[in-house]
Amino acid sequence: MDKLRELHKLQRVIELISDSELPISGQVQKTLAETLVCLGGRFGNRLVASVRVLQEQLSKIPDRILDQVAHLSIATSNHEDAPACSRVSHVLPNAKNEEPIIQMKTAVLPEEWEHAMQRSSSSLQDFIRSYFMFHDLDPCQPSHLFAHLPLLSFVESFIYMLDERNERRLLPGSLSAAADASSPTRGPARSATRGLTGSGPDQWQPLMEVLRQKQLLTSRVEAELEQGARYWDLERRLCTALAAREKVAHEEVVEALRLKSFDYRVLNLLMFQVRGAPVNDEFMAFLEVSELLVEIADDLFDYEEDVLANVFNVYRMFLYIHGEGAAVELARLIASFEKVYEERLAALPPLLASGYKIRCREAVQESGGDTVDSSDGRWCIPAAIYDEEAFRAAVVTQD
C-alpha cells in the first residue's frame, strides 16, 4: 500500500508539471517529479523556501562532489533502510543521449487493479478451459490449475487494466461522465492514471520487468505485446475516424481484428515458456484462426454495447465502410476464416481436435448461442445501427 501511495503521489506531481506547460521533455519531467516528491517528504511545509535555497546553492557544487555523492548513493541504493529518494527509478538520458536505463513504473491503484481482475476473470476462465489441453494440462485438476493461475491472472489483469484505460479515452462525451461516476478510478484517483493509457512502449515496462525477472520474457512475448500496443493504436484511430465521419480502411479493420486476441497469444506463449517446452507453431497457428472466429462472435454479441462505448467492433466498422453490404462482407470474411480453421483442425492430433470441438460447443451453449447457431453453424447478425449518436442519446435518456 505504501508503494502504491508513492506511485500515486509521483504521478500526480508529473501531471502538475505537465499541466503547467513548462518546456520540459517527458523523461526530464519524470526525474523532476521524483526529485520534488523526495524533497516534499523531507521538507514538508518548508518545501518552497528549501527549493529556493537549493536553486541558489546547487550550481555552486563542483562535479567532483556530485560524483562522490553518486557513488555513495549507488552503494546504499539496495538496502531496505536507504532513503526513499535513493530507491526512485532514474529516467534521465545518459551523456550520449541514449534511452533511459530504467523507465518509471506505471501508477496502479488498488481499486483499478481489483476491477481489472474482475473484468479479466471470464477471459481467464475461457483461456484455462480452452488452452490448457494444448499443454497436456487438465483445468479440472487443482494442481494444474493453481500452479499456473497466479501468473496468468497477473498478466491478464495487467492487460485488461491498460485496455480499460484505452477504452475510457474513446467514450463519447454524452457517456463519459456516467463512466467517470462508475469508474473505479474516478476523481483524484482517475487523474493519477491519465496519460498512461495504451500508447507507446512504456506501458509494458512493469509487466516486462516481472516477466524478465522470472526468465519468461522471450522475443515472441515482446513481439505480441508490441502487437497489443498496435491494436490499441488502431482502435483509437479507427473509432476516432468513425466518430468524425472520416475515411476508414477495410484492411486496417481486418488488421485490428487479427491483433485483438494478442492477450491470449501472450498467455499461450508464457505457458510454453513456464513449462520449459518449445513453442508448438502448429497449435499457435490453429488457435490464431480460432481466435478470429471467436472475436467476430463476441463482436456480434456485444455490438450494441460497443456502439455505446465507441470501441472497436468489426461489424460496426464494416457497417460504416460497406453500409447495407456489411453483412455480406462479414460473411465472406467468416467463410475464409472457417475454411482455414477446418484445415488446421484436421491437422491436429485426433484426441486434441475432439476435445477442442467439445469445448467450442460448450462455449456456444454457455453464451446462449445468440450469434452462432451450434446446430448448423449459422451466424446471427444483429440489427444495424446507422445513427449511433441517436442510439446513444436514446440510451442515455432511458437511463
Side-chain angles (χ1 to χ4, degrees):
M1 286 297 294
D2 289 341
K3 179 174 273 189
L4 287 171
R5 291 192 190 96
E6 287 181 16
L7 288 170
H8 184 185
K9 188 188 303 179
L10 179 62
Q11 185 57 34
R12 182 62 185 132
V13 175
I14 291 173
E15 290 179 353
L16 289 172
I17 296 171
S18 178
D19 292 344
S20 69
E21 298 184 352
L22 292 171
I24 302 173
S25 68
Q27 296 300 334
V28 178
Q29 275 186 13
K30 295 175 184 178
T31 300
L32 180 58
E34 291 169 343
T35 303
L36 290 175
V37 168
C38 290
L39 292 174
R42 173 67 177 80
F43 296 110
N45 293 333
R46 295 180 290 114
L47 179 62
V48 174
S50 301
V51 167
R52 297 295 170 248
V53 172
L54 289 171
Q55 280 180 310
E56 288 183 33
Q57 302 303 321
L58 280 174
S59 62
K60 302 175 184 178
I61 301 176
D63 289 350
R64 60 181 176 80
I65 293 180
L66 294 176
D67 286 339
Q68 291 176 11
V69 172
H71 289 306
L72 287 172
S73 299
I74 292 171
T76 60
S77 63
N78 291 326
H79 293 285
E80 288 297 322
D81 56 351
C85 292
S86 69
R87 298 197 299 269
V88 175
S89 299
H90 300 288
V91 293
L92 271 178
N94 61 26
K96 297 179 181 179
N97 293 321
E98 295 173 350
E99 288 296 313
I101 296 173
I102 301 175
Q103 297 287 347
M104 186 196 74
K105 294 179 175 61
T106 302
V108 180
L109 303 170
E111 310 95 292
E112 184 184 27
W113 185 257
E114 190 274 338
H115 186 63
M117 292 181 69
Q118 291 287 351
R119 285 191 65 227
S120 67
S121 61
S122 60
S123 293
L124 192 60
Q125 182 183 110
D126 176 64
F127 177 85
I128 290 169
R129 294 174 65 187
S130 303
Y131 285 56
F132 264 32
M133 66 182 76
F134 289 87
H135 300 276
D136 295 320
L137 297 172
D138 182 356
C140 297
Q141 178 63 251
S143 61
H144 292 179
L145 174 63
F146 290 104
H148 303 289
L149 185 59
L151 173 67
L152 296 175
S153 178
F154 169 74
V155 173
E156 187 71 346
S157 297
F158 189 95
I159 293 173
Y160 260 76
M161 178 185 68
L162 293 184
D163 183 64
E164 183 162 275
R165 291 178 182 183
N166 182 69
E167 290 184 353
R168 281 204 303 266
R169 296 174 66 181
L170 295 171
L171 275 175
S174 60
L175 295 173
S176 59
D180 286 346
S182 62
S183 170
T185 53
R186 58 187 178 272
R190 174 85 179 276
S191 299
T193 63
R194 189 180 60 191
L196 292 170
T197 53
S199 59
D202 287 356
Q203 63 187 324
W204 295 122
Q205 289 302 320
L207 175 59
M208 290 171 64
E209 184 178 341
V210 171
L211 296 179
R212 188 178 292 112
Q213 290 172 356
K214 294 180 175 295
Q215 298 182 329
L216 297 175
L217 185 63
T218 66
S219 59
R220 290 185 67 166
V221 170
E222 285 194 71
E224 284 298 338
L225 293 176
E226 290 175 6
Q227 294 295 299
R230 168 66 177 161
Y231 168 70
W232 284 323
D233 178 63
L234 269 176
E235 180 179 39
R236 286 193 302 275
R237 289 199 292 107
L238 291 171
C239 294
T240 300
L242 189 154
R245 310 304 295 174
E246 297 172 353
K247 184 178 179 181
V248 170
H250 176 100
E251 294 75 18
E252 285 195 321
V253 172
V254 176
E255 181 188 359
L257 177 66
R258 290 184 181 278
L259 296 174
K260 195 174 181 182
S261 288
F262 76 92
D263 57 328
Y264 273 34
R265 292 188 286 275
V266 168
L267 296 181
N268 209 16
L269 289 169
L270 289 174
M271 286 298 297
F272 285 113
Q273 185 70 6
V274 79
R275 291 172 50 246
V279 175
N280 189 312
D281 289 321
E282 180 186 356
F283 292 174
M284 294 291 293
F286 165 74
L287 290 168
E288 184 176 351
V289 71
S290 176
E291 289 157 5
L292 288 167
L293 293 168
V294 170
E295 288 293 357
I296 293 173
D298 287 348
D299 279 4
L300 293 174
F301 184 82
D302 296 331
Y303 170 58
E304 291 189 357
E305 290 184 12
D306 290 346
V307 169
L308 284 173
N310 187 38
V311 297
F312 177 81
N313 181 295
V314 66
Y315 179 52
R316 178 184 179 222
M317 293 294 163
F318 273 27
L319 278 169
Y320 180 70
I321 298 170
H322 303 292
E324 293 182 356
V328 173
E329 289 294 330
L330 188 59
R332 184 179 293 120
L333 186 67
I334 290 171
S336 68
F337 291 155
E338 286 183 329
K339 181 176 183 295
V340 178
Y341 175 87
E342 293 298 334
E343 291 172 354
R344 294 179 182 176
L345 179 67
L348 292 179
L351 284 177
L352 183 59
S354 175
Y356 193 75
K357 286 193 287 187
I358 292 171
R359 168 59 193 146
C360 289
R361 286 196 292 271
E362 291 174 350
V364 170
Q365 292 168 358
E366 290 165 4
S367 69
D370 290 332
T371 56
V372 182
D373 188 331
S374 59
S375 62
D376 59 9
R378 289 181 302 172
W379 291 70
C380 304
I381 308 296
I385 300 169
Y386 291 108
D387 190 339
E388 293 189 350
E389 290 187 13
F391 177 75
R392 294 188 192 105
V395 171
V396 171
T397 302
Q398 290 173 6
D399 292 344

